[in-house]
Amino acid sequence: MDTYKIIPLPDDENYRHWKLFDDTYVIHYGEALDIFLLLGTKKALLIDTAFGRGEFPNLVNRLKGDLELMVVNTHGHFDHTGGNMWFPKVYMHKNAMAYANVPFEPLDEAWLANMPYPDYEMISIDDGYVFDLGDRNVEVLWTPAHSDSSLTFLDHKRRLLFCGDEFDAGQANLNTFESVGAFLKNCKRLQKREAEYDFIMPNHNGCPISKEYLTDFITAAQHVVEGVPDLVPTHDLPGFMHPICGKNGVRAQVGNSCINYLPEAPR
Ligand SMILES: [Zn+2]
């Protein structure tokens, strides 16, 4: 098994990891970033690569054992793709290809040069694709709203729904008013299939979460689309939309679920 030389950086954060099942790991980086490693009888599937910092590639190698590794991104945002260059090929939705390698801020050049696959192969996958891990099939669904490249993964064996940033317990960050409608459609589609999974697995703010969150998400998004949003004060919110458009988002909250979006409602 390869052991990669690591270049530590002063602001590296720590990893923790835990087993959800014998064949399912949550790898937690820093304060609020989870990625997932699913083991089959023949192959392993790594869902997202976080920022790829610190001991990341060696930790993944150790946990996967001798299994052949496949790597996939839930979407193209850099906190999910930053470690892609540790691997020769990465599966993603085609929309992610334009920005999967665009960092949030300049990267340390020595650290970047240490990554073994700067020109890794991007493999396009779309709705309906199935990863066969050996006695474990993981179905891909295209669920664009937070990002146009968002993929959700239905793990039929462990009955888990890995959703990236789309159905997060603490927030669903939707960058346009229109994306609230797309989000609503995705929620309804997934709720129709709720008999096939037990828990939702978002990448930030805690997992697993109950699939009942979808009911609240649907109500919250429905009210936004109908022009009667359940708005709550936003003074404590991070300005997550500012880099995109310079505008403040608003937050609608119903039950346990809340969505952040730009309030460009129909006139
Ligand atoms: Zn994201």
Side-chain angles (χ1 to χ4, degrees):
M1 191 183 304
D2 291 340
T3 301
Y4 295 100
K5 181 183 140 225
I6 300 300
I7 294 187
L9 297 174
D11 57 345
D12 279 345
E13 298 181 77
N14 291 324
Y15 288 96
R16 290 178 290 147
H17 65 273
W18 54 89
K19 271 186 178 182
L20 204 55
F21 297 99
D22 274 352
D23 53 13
T24 306
Y25 286 98
V26 179
I27 301 174
H28 184 80
Y29 179 69
E31 279 191 17
L33 179 53
D34 292 317
I35 61 175
F36 309 101
L37 183 64
L38 281 48
L39 310 180
T41 54
K42 296 191 178 114
K43 296 181 182 177
L45 181 66
L46 178 66
I47 301 179
D48 284 340
T49 62
F51 289 105
R53 298 276 288 267
E55 287 293 327
F56 168 70
N58 290 329
L59 175 60
V60 170
N61 258 356
R62 183 159 59 80
L63 295 178
K64 80 172 183 64
D66 294 329
L67 293 174
E68 179 188 331
L69 182 68
M70 299 185 288
V71 181
V72 69
N73 296 140
T74 56
H75 61 300
H77 293 163
F78 200 72
D79 51 337
H80 302 259
T81 63
N84 283 3
M85 291 179 195
W86 289 111
F87 307 103
K89 55 185 182 182
V90 178
Y91 296 84
M92 64 183 73
H93 189 269
K94 63 179 187 299
N95 291 347
M97 294 177 178
Y99 48 86
N101 291 339
V102 179
F104 296 152
E105 51 196 32
L107 298 175
D108 182 281
E109 285 183 19
W111 180 82
L112 194 58
N114 185 46
M115 309 268 273
Y117 300 103
D119 300 316
Y120 69 91
E121 182 185 0
M122 295 176 172
I123 302 171
S124 169
I125 53 169
D126 211 332
D127 208 279
Y129 188 87
V130 176
F131 288 101
D132 180 0
L133 312 188
D135 197 28
R136 186 173 196 175
N137 282 349
V138 178
E139 180 182 347
V140 176
L141 301 111
W142 183 44
T143 52
H146 164 78
S147 161
D148 65 359
S149 60
S150 285
L151 299 175
T152 291
F153 303 96
L154 180 50
D155 173 2
H156 290 287
K157 181 175 183 189
R158 290 303 182 189
R159 298 175 54 81
L160 299 171
L161 192 69
F162 297 89
C163 67
D165 289 357
E166 289 293 341
F167 314 108
D168 198 286
Q171 66 197 43
N173 286 346
L174 306 171
N175 292 324
T176 64
F177 181 82
E178 290 71 28
S179 60
V180 179
F183 176 80
L184 176 60
K185 202 169 128 212
N186 294 336
C187 286
K188 286 180 174 173
R189 181 185 179 200
L190 291 171
Q191 195 175 49
K192 273 195 192 139
R193 299 187 61 178
E194 67 175 354
E196 297 175 66
Y197 56 90
D198 297 319
F199 292 99
I200 302 174
M201 304 287 287
N203 287 66
H204 305 282
N205 300 307
C207 70
I209 60 171
S210 165
K211 60 187 174 184
E212 290 171 13
Y213 273 75
L214 282 180
T215 303
D216 290 342
F217 271 132
I218 286 170
T219 306
Q222 187 78 48
H223 288 175
V224 172
V225 169
E226 290 169 355
V228 286
D230 305 276
L231 295 181
V232 294
T234 56
H235 54 270
D236 292 332
L237 287 180
F240 71 96
M241 292 165 188
H242 293 195
I244 298 169
C245 68
K247 294 179 186 170
N248 279 314
V250 295
R251 168 173 284 195
Q253 185 164 340
V254 171
N256 291 314
S257 300
C258 52
I259 56 179
N260 301 333
Y261 65 100
L262 283 178
E264 293 169 2
R267 292 169 195 94

